[in-house]
Amino acid sequence: MANGDGEVVGFDNVGLRYGTGKEVLSDVSFTLFPGSFYFLTGASGAGKTSLLKLLYLSQRPSRGQIRMFGTDVITLPRARLPGFRRRLGVVFQDFRLVPHLSAYDNVALPLRVAGVPEADLERPVTDMLDWVGLSHRSDARPATLSGGEQQRVAIARAVIGRPDMLLADEPTGNVDPEMAVKLLRLFEALNRLGTTVVVATHDLHLLKKVPASMIMRLDKGRLSDPTGVLRYPPKPQADRRTGDDRAEDLQE
Amino acid sequence: MKKPPVISRAINRGLAPFRGAPAQELVPQARLAGPMPWVIAIMVVLTVVATAAGLALTNLAGGARAELAGGATVQIIEAEPKERNRQAEAALDVLVEFPEVEGLRRVPPEEVAALLEPWLGTGFNGEAVPIPALIDLRFRGDATPDKLRRLRAALSDVAPDARIDAQSSWLRPVFSAIASLQWLALALVVLLSLTSAAAVFLAARSALGNNRETIEIVHLLGGTDQQIARVFQRSVGFDASLGAAAGLLLGMVAVLVLGQQFAQLDSGMVANGGLGWLDWLAVAMVPLAAVALAMATARLTVLFALRKML
């Protein structure tokens, strides 16, 4: 398996179970490379969200090894995990916006937590809200935003810090097709700047929109490899199979 | 399509502090709508009153003890007035020469009559009801059993009917009661502090439960335990300060009113029971201690809860 050089994330025989239940992830092994774009697909309950939880360091695996940015995060002292989390951008399936903060403050939160001075916040936060089409709602609380608007705020919050790795759980589930494409363009733009992107989705049409992406598929907690990316790890941006081809592979 | 905005400036990814108004806004301030200020206010009122009472009792006991420790009373218990008067005068002559006696005075018959008036009424006949002659004396230092024994020996020839009692001996039950009250006040202060800590602990846990989602979000965005705990600590500290200020004000009013009530008793016993400036300073420390306790409890509660998260 990968030794950690040139990888963003490495999973070796990872298993995850909650409590004493059966494993929701079994023998998961893969490597994510810098600057690559991955779709994580699978039916509902296949384990996509559990795998993302391991990736955004909200859960420790029951077994196996996980390396992130060249460090074994399983044995890493808890106090060092925040430094790793700040290198990640996460779009949660349920958005997880702070309910009593405005859209502006929710988007600014990762930068504030990272200690960015207030004077340096306004421009990027305003630009980001403008880009996701919510500049006119910057003072609105999440409860007054529609599902799609909340999702766009969640995405803006995830990408504002220009993370090394972006993890998105069904990020286009509540937006119209036009906005979905727009958001994917944002992810691609980040990806071109070197951010590794992992998008969990069961919407196979999305795969066509990002031709350079690679696919990981989960089935009952086990990872399969429809595009060969796990067996033949690509160089960054190397896999150029068309989205149409890969979507057809999956539908088969 | 418009180019996506991406911050060109490198983000500071150190573990920098998260402070100021934006940090405070993370936890909605309940102000007076939450239980914390009221819990703290009630606890501070009770603790201020208990502390003030304990200190007043300490002063009262200390003053009375100092006043009575060296005092003794000589009673000439003789039914025949002339002989009683003779023995009293002879005793005074001996006592004046006694080296360990610092001061003495014969209690005038009118004063003795006034002391007995509640029991015997006015205008009683001194011959019908024999009243002992009384001499108040003060030793240099405490009235020890050894000094009393030597004094008895010195008086036995000139005033065989003299009876000498240390004033502290007949006040011993009073001192014992005061000491019990002091312990009671101390126990009340300790119990109230523990109750305050428990109430603050529960209030902090409740606030934590109400804001668990926010905490988890900040945690997942890379917030450190210290950052999150500091936000909660300051929030609880603010609420606790409101309550403590109100509690101190009410407690002080209660103490002053009680003090005036006792002052009106015009009794020698309570004359020493006032509070000095050091005592007031100690009372003023109660709300500060309550706020510090609230903040420490909130911090530890949040840190403990966060440690359960990865």
Side-chain angles (χ1 to χ4, degrees), chain A residues 60-79:
Chain A
R60 283 199 200 276
S62 314
R63 61 186 174 88
Q65 274 196 319
I66 299 177
R67 293 176 307 282
M68 192 173 279
F69 307 118
T71 303
D72 179 358
V73 290
I74 306 297
T75 55
L76 198 67
R78 203 180 151 276

Side-chain angles (χ1 to χ4, degrees), chain B residues 3-282:
Chain B
K3 192 181 170 191
V6 175
I7 301 170
S8 55
R9 184 190 299 269
I11 298 299
N12 174 5
R13 289 196 174 106
L15 302 182
F18 178 37
R19 289 198 170 115
Q24 290 311 297
E25 284 167 9
L26 264 186
V27 181
Q29 286 288 334
R31 300 282 191 270
L32 297 176
M36 179 75 74
W38 301 105
V39 169
I40 296 283
I42 292 166
M43 291 301 167
V44 167
V45 170
L46 295 174
T47 311
V48 160
V49 172
T51 306
L55 290 169
L57 281 168
T58 302
N59 292 343
L60 187 152
R65 204 170 272 129
E67 206 168 273
L68 299 175
T73 304
V74 178
Q75 299 180 66
I76 311 294
I77 305 170
E78 165 58 51
E80 207 284 309
K82 279 188 183 164
E83 175 58 13
R84 185 166 66 227
N85 193 46
R86 186 199 68 75
Q87 286 193 29
E89 292 299 325
L92 279 171
D93 290 341
V94 171
L95 292 171
V96 166
E97 300 300 323
F98 204 77
E100 285 165 312
V101 171
E102 188 179 58
L104 76 163
R105 74 174 184 116
R106 182 168 178 185
V107 182
E110 304 78 40
E111 199 175 314
V112 176
L115 285 171
L116 293 172
E117 191 181 303
W119 291 274
L120 301 178
T122 54
F124 64 89
N125 187 338
E127 290 181 6
V129 182
I131 307 297
L134 296 180
I135 299 170
D136 246 350
L137 68 88
R138 177 156 296 281
F139 285 107
R140 297 181 207 282
D142 290 356
T144 60
D146 185 49
K147 285 180 191 171
L148 293 172
R149 191 164 29 78
R150 278 188 274 118
L151 194 62
R152 279 191 198 101
L155 291 179
S156 61
D157 289 340
V158 295
D161 298 317
R163 199 178 113 184
I164 306 165
D165 293 308
Q167 289 171 358
S168 58
S169 64
W170 54 265
L171 275 176
R172 192 166 293 129
V174 179
F175 288 139
S176 175
I178 289 173
S180 300
L181 285 173
Q182 278 179 277
W183 282 111
L184 181 66
L186 181 66
L188 276 175
V189 171
V190 171
L191 283 174
L192 286 168
S193 301
L194 290 174
T195 311
S196 298
V200 169
F201 177 75
L202 292 173
R205 278 185 70 89
S206 162
L208 185 70
N210 293 338
N211 291 281
R212 176 166 286 279
E213 199 183 336
T214 302
I215 288 171
E216 282 179 4
I217 293 166
V218 177
H219 180 69
L220 290 172
L221 292 178
T224 62
D225 291 2
Q226 301 300 324
Q227 282 180 322
I228 299 168
R230 194 184 302 121
V231 170
F232 263 86
Q233 181 185 320
R234 289 190 61 173
S235 167
V236 167
F238 186 85
D239 283 358
S241 299
L242 275 180
L248 178 66
L249 188 69
L250 290 172
M252 287 290 205
V253 169
V255 170
L256 287 171
V257 168
L258 283 171
Q260 281 183 345
Q261 298 278 321
F262 277 104
Q264 283 171 6
L265 289 177
D266 200 22
S267 161
M269 267 310 271
V270 297
N272 295 315
L275 296 178
W277 69 270
L278 271 175
D279 301 323
W280 284 113
L281 196 64

Side-chain angles (χ1 to χ4, degrees), chain A residues 57 59-60 78 82 85-86 96 100 111-114 118 124 127-128 130-131 157 160-162 186 189 193, chain B residues 2-7 11-15 18 22 25-26 28 216-217 219 222-223 225 227 306 309-310:
Chain A
L57 303 174
Q59 197 82 41
R60 283 199 200 276
R78 203 180 151 276
R85 291 195 183 102
R86 289 180 190 191
R96 306 195 84 167
H100 53 272
L111 301 186
R112 284 174 171 155
V113 167
E118 286 296 306
D127 283 355
M128 189 57 71
D130 183 38
W131 201 83
R157 184 183 66 185
I160 186 123
R162 195 174 154 184
L186 174 61
L193 288 166
Chain B
K2 194 175 165 185
K3 192 181 170 191
V6 175
I7 301 170
I11 298 299
N12 174 5
R13 289 196 174 106
L15 302 182
F18 178 37
E25 284 167 9
L26 264 186
E216 282 179 4
I217 293 166
H219 180 69
D225 291 2
Q227 282 180 322
L306 282 168
M309 299 178 196
L310 177 57

Side-chain angles (χ1 to χ4, degrees), chain A:
Chain A
M1 205 61 208
N3 61 8
D5 292 338
E7 69 178 24
V8 175
V9 174
F11 272 44
D12 289 343
N13 296 314
V14 169
L16 173 66
R17 71 172 78 240
Y18 296 108
T20 54
K22 67 174 187 178
E23 280 196 330
V24 293
L25 292 174
S26 297
D27 301 322
V28 174
S29 299
F30 63 86
T31 304
L32 303 183
F33 290 90
S36 301
F37 197 120
Y38 300 88
F39 279 109
L40 178 62
T41 66
S44 293
K48 298 192 295 292
T49 300
S50 293
L51 182 56
L52 285 179
K53 279 184 180 176
L54 293 175
L55 283 169
Y56 61 71
L57 303 174
S58 148
Q59 197 82 41
R60 283 199 200 276
S62 314
R63 61 186 174 88
Q65 274 196 319
I66 299 177
R67 293 176 307 282
M68 192 173 279
F69 307 118
T71 303
D72 179 358
V73 290
I74 306 297
T75 55
L76 198 67
R78 203 180 151 276
R80 283 189 59 198
L81 291 177
F84 282 78
R85 291 195 183 102
R86 289 180 190 191
R87 299 177 69 177
L88 307 174
V90 186
V91 183
F92 301 99
Q93 191 170 17
D94 53 357
F95 318 140
R96 306 195 84 167
L97 301 176
V98 180
H100 53 272
L101 294 186
S102 66
Y104 179 96
D105 288 329
N106 266 290
V107 174
L109 192 54
L111 301 186
R112 284 174 171 155
V113 167
V116 175
E118 286 296 306
D120 296 342
L121 283 177
E122 191 174 349
R123 176 77 187 278
V125 174
T126 307
D127 283 355
M128 189 57 71
L129 281 169
D130 183 38
W131 201 83
V132 295
L134 289 173
S135 55
H136 63 295
R137 312 240 36 205
S138 64
D139 292 331
R141 301 281 173 98
T144 66
L145 297 172
S146 69
E149 287 172 330
Q150 288 184 41
Q151 193 152 31
R152 280 140 65 191
V153 173
I155 289 167
R157 184 183 66 185
V159 301
I160 186 123
R162 195 174 154 184
D164 290 331
M165 182 163 66
L166 177 70
L167 306 163
D169 196 356
E170 303 286 358
T172 56
N174 287 279
V175 296
D176 58 58
E178 189 186 349
M179 181 52 72
V181 171
K182 201 174 170 186
L183 294 174
L184 278 177
R185 293 288 89 85
L186 174 61
F187 292 171
E188 281 188 294
L190 274 173
N191 181 230
R192 278 195 295 277
L193 288 166
T195 297
T196 303
V197 178
V198 180
V199 177
T201 182
H202 58 256
D203 181 0
L204 298 180
H205 297 292
L206 276 187
L207 311 188
K208 300 175 185 176
K209 311 289 184 193
V210 188
S213 62
M214 291 165 278
I215 297 171
M216 298 190 293
R217 185 177 180 184
L218 274 169
D219 184 23
K220 294 178 183 169
R222 291 183 181 273
L223 197 61
S224 59
D225 185 13
T227 49
V229 62
L230 304 177
R231 274 170 293 172
Y232 307 105
K235 299 290 183 196
Q237 312 262 350
D239 187 351
R240 290 291 182 272
R241 295 183 67 191
T242 67
D244 285 340
D245 292 344
R246 287 171 299 116
E248 282 162 14
D249 288 347
L250 288 176
Q251 279 163 341
E252 285 167 10

